[in-house]
Amino acid sequence: MKETTLAPLPYADDALAPAISAKTVSFHYGKHHAGYVKTLNGLVAGTKYEGLSLEEIVAASREAGDAAIFNNAAQIWNHDFYWNSLAPAGKGGEPSSELKAAVDAAFGSLDACKGALADAAVKRFGSGWAWLVAKDGKLAVESTSNAETPCGKPGVKPLLVIDVWEHAYYLDWQNARAAYAKAVVEKHLDWSAASRRFAAD
Ligand code: MN
């Protein structure tokens, strides 16, 4: 039986400190993210979803309105994407020339793009996610609620995401979501990864 697995963290627990402490990563990855994987595998056992890829489970459960399966599958996908949207300070690289041109066309500058992403993170009411996406080659910032995800949305290519559920920042920043978002956009976005995603078909 093929189960959904917990993807390895791409860096050590303390690699994002102090913006995101080792303690936050240990709970966020080791309890929240791992918990979604365990719950999903329990929910899909013996159902039509068993053996499907994670992306297939997201799409099929969205279509069928199976909320519990969708929520857990989408959260796994979003968390995989989140860990791979972040990099240790100084290791996130720069946007490729193609991505930089798209950033400038949409936002005017890279700083303005970072500001728009942080703003979306702050303004998302309640739990959710702030995304930088490409839609038919044009960049946009958007946010989603709870587990909702651009995964599988036609014409939408996610490039970067910030988790704005309280579990992502509360141990380090308490209620100061804006300070967390600012620290992430200024020091920890993986622009090399975003550039590879932007260039991919
Ligand atoms: Mn989370």
Side-chain angles (χ1 to χ4, degrees), residues 28 79 129 163 165 167:
H28 196 178
H79 281 87
W129 302 83
D163 188 339
W165 286 56
H167 65 228

Side-chain angles (χ1 to χ4, degrees), residues 89-176:
K91 304 282 184 168
E94 297 294 330
S96 64
S97 55
E98 293 79 11
L99 180 56
K100 181 64 167 60
V103 163
D104 289 346
F107 303 99
S109 69
L110 186 59
D111 280 347
C113 176
K114 291 175 181 176
L117 192 55
D119 194 50
V122 171
K123 287 182 176 162
R124 161 53 44 195
F125 188 79
S127 296
W129 302 83
W131 302 86
L132 178 66
V133 300
K135 291 179 167 175
D136 302 318
K138 290 190 67 175
L139 300 197
V141 161
E142 51 189 44
S143 72
T144 58
S145 179
N146 295 321
E148 192 48 67
T149 179
C151 171
K153 292 280 176 77
V156 181
K157 190 190 284 184
L159 301 179
L160 293 170
V161 74
I162 303 173
D163 188 339
V164 293
W165 286 56
E166 285 186 348
H167 65 228
Y169 60 88
Y170 218 82
L171 292 175
D172 299 319
W173 299 96
Q174 293 75 54
N175 61 317

